Amino acid sequence: MGKREEVISKLRGVPEGLPSVEEVRAMAAANPNLRCVVCYARISFDGRVKDAHGIEDQHRDMAGDAGKLDWLVVYRYTDNDKSASKESVVRDDFEQLLNDLATGTTPEGYPIHGVMAVNDDRLYRRPSDWERYLKAFTSHEGRVYHDSNGVQDLYAEGFEIKGLVGVAMSLSETRKKQRRSRNSHRSRAVRGQAVAAWRPFGWDDDKVTLRMKEAEAIRKAVHDVIAGASISEITRRWKEAEFITSRGNPFQYQTVKQVLLNARLCGYREIKGELVRDGDDQPIVGEWESIITPKEWFAVTAKIKERGQGSGLPRGGLVHKYLLTGILRCGNVLEDGTVCNSKMIGVKANDWLTYKHAYMCKKTVDGGCNKTYKRGDKTDELIEEFVITKLVEDAASKSQDVPDWDKADALQRAITSRNELERRWQDDEDEDIDDETFFRNLPVWERRIKELRADRAKHEALKAEAEAAQEDIESAWTSKTLTQKRDAIKKVLSAVIAVPGGKGNKAFDPELLKPVPRTSGG
């Protein structure tokens, strides 16, 4: 159990040193003025250090107030790091409090004569929660309630309305804060200022200057993903290099993906997945140092999103250990005259051999003949040479640049039309654009602009890939990951037919490997 969880556990349930249920009931019977109360503590955000100090402070203050009033705290409810204004958030201890108030006792059987909270907005922020709480509280007579305003009479006439007014004011203030926060966030974004609460991976604590070792790792990861590497491989590489996130955690698949999708890498600002743009519809460039170019960011974003059916999630396929597993096919002729054609697998070679792995046709329920075996290192070397030669030839024949994007004028016209629509709608003297006309036409232009921007991003990705393809293929091959090499091989070859070499321990014969080039339509 972590330190925070340990603190929360101690602040939940029966306080340490409390007498037994029987003893407390006897104390209450002997002293009619004794009030057995429960305390509720909640905080929306536990802070950056995540040490539960907020709820710890609340329970300490309530214990102090209970002592001054000669009340006995018999149970503590705690919801840490949970909002009370969001319907999607379930507050387990608040729900338990309502159940216990309705039954009249804590889970252990202590009587509940009242409730304490440091403030009423710790208990409720929405009208529905206030109504549920009041109903549960007043289900038994004579209970007491204490918060920052002192002892409150929740049974008093009109208190229900007073509570609703307080909730409405609290909701209004919450929304004002959220709106101010959003406006401030966007204003800072438009000015190109860093708004991240945490140090972004790749930058120093000032969020502006690059942390070079991390930045180089990101730059290499972007180039590798564009060239076909998987995020799983990048994740494994970063773990081996002992990189950690800004919050001190090991990198996982999703956190690596978030880093690579962040427009901050190329200097751009975005809010909720949309680039922040200026009045001329150009992306706002931030004040921090960029790691990659916008063209590279468009390319890596397109690559990641096209995987996992557009979600960027792992595809769940096998991660192969050997280069040609599944690409090699057995060319042994069976007794009936047909070719085996089963996919061959990579296996670890016996320890006494000079090579480390081999490929074989393994007999299974789905086929296989167990007749073909190929030395791994020589086979890999031969096929890699063939593929590199083919890639060099293809790059030479397709070296022409991707043409410039030809829809820039269409995008500008769409933006101009949308802006003109908004201007006329806001112009009190223009009576041709009423609300119905405006809201009917606005989505049309917004959709058109979004489609054109997506097309531009796709084009930028293609351009970046075309430029990357013109690099020195042969020298770049050695730095490719296994997945990248396999992807390149499968783009060039449909398969490699491995013909058996006959019985006995014979020398490796390259003539027994028959690459099957992929046709342009395949």
Side-chain angles (χ1 to χ4, degrees), residues 170-444:
S170 177
L171 274 176
S172 175
E173 186 59 31
T174 297
R175 286 167 182 158
K176 283 181 182 177
K177 288 180 181 178
Q178 290 172 342
R179 188 164 57 249
R180 286 196 297 267
S181 176
R182 284 196 301 268
N183 290 341
S184 172
H185 190 83
R186 183 166 185 84
S187 295
R188 292 171 66 191
V190 169
R191 292 195 299 270
Q193 295 177 329
V195 295
W198 300 85
R199 176 188 76 82
F201 182 73
W203 284 267
D204 277 332
D205 293 333
D206 61 6
K207 305 170 190 174
V208 174
T209 309
L210 293 182
R211 186 166 290 189
M212 295 312 300
K213 190 175 180 180
E214 294 179 356
E216 284 299 326
I218 292 173
R219 190 176 293 115
K220 178 167 175 50
V222 167
H223 293 164
D224 286 346
V225 170
I226 292 173
S230 69
I231 294 180
S232 296
E233 289 178 304
I234 305 301
T235 305
R236 185 163 55 250
R237 183 194 301 167
W238 285 9
K239 284 184 175 180
E240 290 172 354
E242 298 184 348
F243 285 123
I244 57 174
T245 68
S246 300
R247 301 192 185 194
N249 302 316
F251 271 103
Q252 304 297 329
Y253 180 96
Q254 288 295 338
T255 46
V256 173
K257 188 183 80 169
Q258 289 167 7
V259 169
L260 299 182
L261 287 175
N262 194 343
R264 171 182 249 274
L265 298 183
C266 70
Y268 287 169
R269 279 287 295 118
E270 61 180 342
I271 296 178
K272 294 183 177 179
E274 292 288 335
L275 292 178
V276 181
R277 298 175 182 274
D278 60 20
D280 296 322
D281 199 50
Q282 296 302 309
I284 297 292
V285 177
E287 62 185 2
W288 54 88
E289 296 180 49
S290 60
I291 296 176
I292 58 175
T293 67
K295 193 179 296 181
E296 289 169 330
W297 179 74
F298 281 119
V300 74
T301 301
K303 272 289 184 183
I304 293 173
K305 290 184 177 179
E306 77 184 15
R307 297 173 181 172
Q309 297 179 336
S311 65
L313 298 174
R315 296 183 227 182
L318 292 173
V319 178
H320 293 291
K321 186 176 181 180
Y322 301 106
L323 182 66
L324 298 175
T325 295
I327 297 173
L328 283 173
R329 286 185 174 270
C330 177
N332 181 46
V333 179
L334 305 177
E335 293 180 359
D336 62 1
T338 61
V339 177
C340 176
N341 200 39
S342 295
K343 290 182 177 180
M344 297 174 65
I345 62 170
V347 294
K348 184 179 181 297
N350 291 322
D351 293 337
W352 63 80
L353 296 172
T354 57
Y355 51 92
K356 302 297 185 183
H357 71 285
Y359 296 101
M360 65 177 295
C361 176
K362 188 175 182 180
K363 196 167 187 176
T364 67
V365 293
D366 297 321
C369 63
N370 226 22
K371 299 292 184 181
T372 305
Y373 178 95
K374 295 295 177 186
R375 175 173 175 165
D377 57 346
K378 295 284 189 180
T379 301
D380 289 349
E381 183 181 338
L382 182 71
I383 299 306
E384 285 183 276
E385 287 178 2
F386 182 91
V387 170
I388 290 171
T389 301
K390 189 71 168 62
L391 289 173
V392 170
E393 291 174 356
D394 290 347
S397 64
K398 299 177 181 178
S399 60
Q400 66 271 22
D401 293 336
V402 176
D404 291 336
W405 190 57
D406 60 358
K407 298 178 183 177
D409 290 342
L411 175 59
Q412 187 55 52
R413 286 196 300 272
I415 293 170
T416 301
S417 297
R418 181 200 59 189
N419 293 345
E420 178 63 14
L421 180 69
E422 291 178 338
R423 186 196 64 75
R424 292 181 62 191
W425 178 58
Q426 294 171 359
D427 188 348
D428 295 336
E429 297 181 4
D430 194 333
E431 299 179 356
D432 293 335
I433 305 294
D434 56 16
D435 288 352
E436 192 276 333
T437 303
F438 174 74
F439 287 109
R440 186 180 70 249
N441 286 280
L442 182 63
V444 176

Side-chain angles (χ1 to χ4, degrees), residues 93-104:
D93 272 32
F94 177 72
E95 297 299 328
Q96 182 67 46
L97 169 63
L98 298 188
N99 290 334
D100 294 347
L101 285 173
T103 60

